[in-house]
Amino acid sequence: MILDGIEIAEKIGDYVQKKVAELKNSVVPSLTCVVSSNDKSTRVYLNSIKKNCDKFGINYAERSVNAEDILSEIDKLNTDRNVHGIMIMHPLPKEIDEFKVLSSVNPEKDVEGRTPQNLGMLLMGRPYFAPCTAQAVLEMLKYYEIQLRGKEVTIVGRSTTVGKPLSLLLLSEDATVTVCHSKTKDLVDKVKNADVVIAAVGKPKMFDASWFKDGEIVIDVGINVVDGKIVGDVDFDSVSKKVSVSKVPGGVGNVTSAILMRNVVNVAEMMCRR
Ligand code: NAP
């Protein structure tokens, strides 16, 4: 089976479209990206977010900031009733303290689920906004009715945006979760002995078919650019002949983008009702 993210993203998109239409007479949902660097990959990402916002009629704005004004700019966005979602573009330049910056974002507008407050809620088993990519993986597994209770799930990658929050979401689904990283011993065994594997490493085609046994489910979170083409952490051509695997592109990334839009309209609706 190929796990397709496009279908799920379209369903979420239908919801977003409906909400934007419902709110039309009261408010236009809006997302503001706080930008502190102008590197090429940040620009590519910003363009794709803008395109998605335009598609749904969500207002898109950017604030260029530096180390001196980033906190005061975030403060303004936090209290601006016309701003519903705030995204802090990362990586931040090294002179900016990421923890301090993320801590300063109003958790109610933290549509990416990256603030310490929202990560704390997730840890307590009461997620408000979970990090979008982690949420996207869970929604893909649920969409394809992959049972998680009592299952062995191996996550390769322990970042704060993907691996760690995903481990908490999956624990809440009663999975038994193993989180692996670059210092993990016997990674091959941990991957092969799982029922479900999540690859979130950032190494193009690191996992070929020899890593998996029949019947495993593989979700590929990786987005890597090789010779101008996007590839995952999983070698899709060989792995898809052996086990069920998600596509890249057309997989987790599409669902993640749709969830971001859904979070923005949900904040707009919540603020509108106050
Ligand atoms: P990251 O912060 O660089 O984390 C990578 C993780 O992989 C780290 O925990 C690292 O271990 C581990 N790792 C690296 N090499 C390894 C190896 N040989 N064996 C085992 N573990 C290894 O990356 P990220 O932000 O989580 O992103 C991971 C991938 O997902 C990237 O390709 C990124 O582009 C993609 N991504 C996709 C989406 C989406 O929406 N689809 C969103 C975010 C990210 P250590 O902790 O020990 O260094």
Side-chain angles (χ1 to χ4, degrees):
M1 175 170 63
I2 306 302
L3 284 76
D4 186 339
I6 295 173
E7 208 175 288
I8 306 170
E10 280 172 0
K11 284 211 157 44
I12 299 171
D14 291 345
Y15 169 89
V16 173
Q17 212 160 16
K18 192 170 138 253
K19 282 286 165 201
V20 171
E22 277 172 21
L23 293 169
K24 199 173 79 184
N25 295 329
S26 327
V27 67
V28 178
S30 88
L31 172 67
T32 299
C33 294
V34 176
V35 186
S36 54
S37 90
N38 216 358
D39 67 273
K40 210 172 141 198
S41 58
T42 302
R43 183 43 53 196
V44 170
Y45 189 35
L46 286 168
N47 289 345
S48 82
I49 297 166
K50 180 180 183 318
K51 197 169 150 200
N52 227 1
C53 286
D54 291 348
K55 178 174 152 193
F56 292 109
I58 292 173
N59 276 344
Y60 170 86
E62 283 175 26
R63 284 273 191 293
S64 287
V65 295
N66 54 38
E68 282 74 50
D69 64 5
I70 185 165
L71 292 177
S72 60
E73 284 300 324
I74 291 171
D75 207 33
K76 284 182 212 156
L77 298 172
N78 280 341
T79 50
D80 185 340
R81 280 195 60 81
N82 295 315
V83 173
H84 306 110
I86 302 172
M87 265 181 91
I88 310 295
M89 299 312 293
H90 63 114
L92 292 165
K94 59 179 182 316
E95 65 275 17
I96 298 181
D97 180 341
E98 186 176 32
F99 181 77
K100 213 168 166 181
V101 166
L102 289 174
S103 304
S104 75
V105 175
N106 179 351
E108 289 193 343
K109 297 185 179 187
D110 170 28
V111 285
E112 282 189 295
R114 293 179 62 217
T115 59
Q117 295 89 335
N118 277 325
L119 290 170
M121 294 294 280
L122 178 60
L123 183 64
M124 297 303 286
R126 300 178 72 172
Y128 185 69
F129 285 128
C132 297
T133 306
Q135 182 68 30
V137 172
L138 181 64
E139 291 194 23
M140 278 188 88
L141 291 168
K142 286 191 168 177
Y143 185 82
Y144 284 99
E145 296 180 349
I146 291 155
Q147 295 304 314
L148 292 166
R149 177 173 295 181
K151 294 290 166 69
E152 299 285 340
V153 181
T154 292
I155 304 173
V156 192
R158 59 172 162 181
S159 70
T160 314
T161 43
V162 188
K164 281 185 203 165
L166 182 56
S167 68
L168 295 170
L169 288 172
L170 293 170
L171 277 174
S172 296
E173 298 294 325
D174 297 328
T176 302
V177 185
T178 304
V179 183
C180 304
H181 46 80
S182 66
K183 312 293 183 294
T184 296
K185 284 186 187 150
D186 304 324
L187 182 64
V188 176
D189 291 345
K190 290 181 172 68
V191 169
K192 206 164 244 174
N193 291 332
D195 299 304
V196 177
V197 176
I198 318 290
V201 173
K203 297 242 153 76
K205 300 189 183 182
M206 172 172 161
F207 302 94
D208 65 16
S210 69
W211 284 78
F212 307 104
K213 64 176 185 311
D214 289 345
E216 281 187 76
I217 310 280
V218 182
I219 303 287
D220 189 356
V221 177
I223 296 180
N224 311 287
V225 181
V226 177
D227 299 332
K229 278 178 67 179
I230 292 177
V231 298
D233 290 346
V234 173
D235 177 21
F236 183 84
D237 291 341
S238 72
V239 173
S240 61
K241 290 191 182 90
K242 190 169 185 181
V243 298
S244 297
V245 59
S246 67
K247 292 201 299 189
V248 178
V252 177
N254 293 60
V255 184
T256 302
S257 306
I259 288 174
L260 178 68
M261 297 295 111
R262 183 178 70 194
N263 288 348
V264 175
V265 295
N266 283 345
V267 178
E269 184 179 40
M270 181 197 70
M271 284 175 62
C272 192
R273 283 196 179 144
R274 276 195 186 139

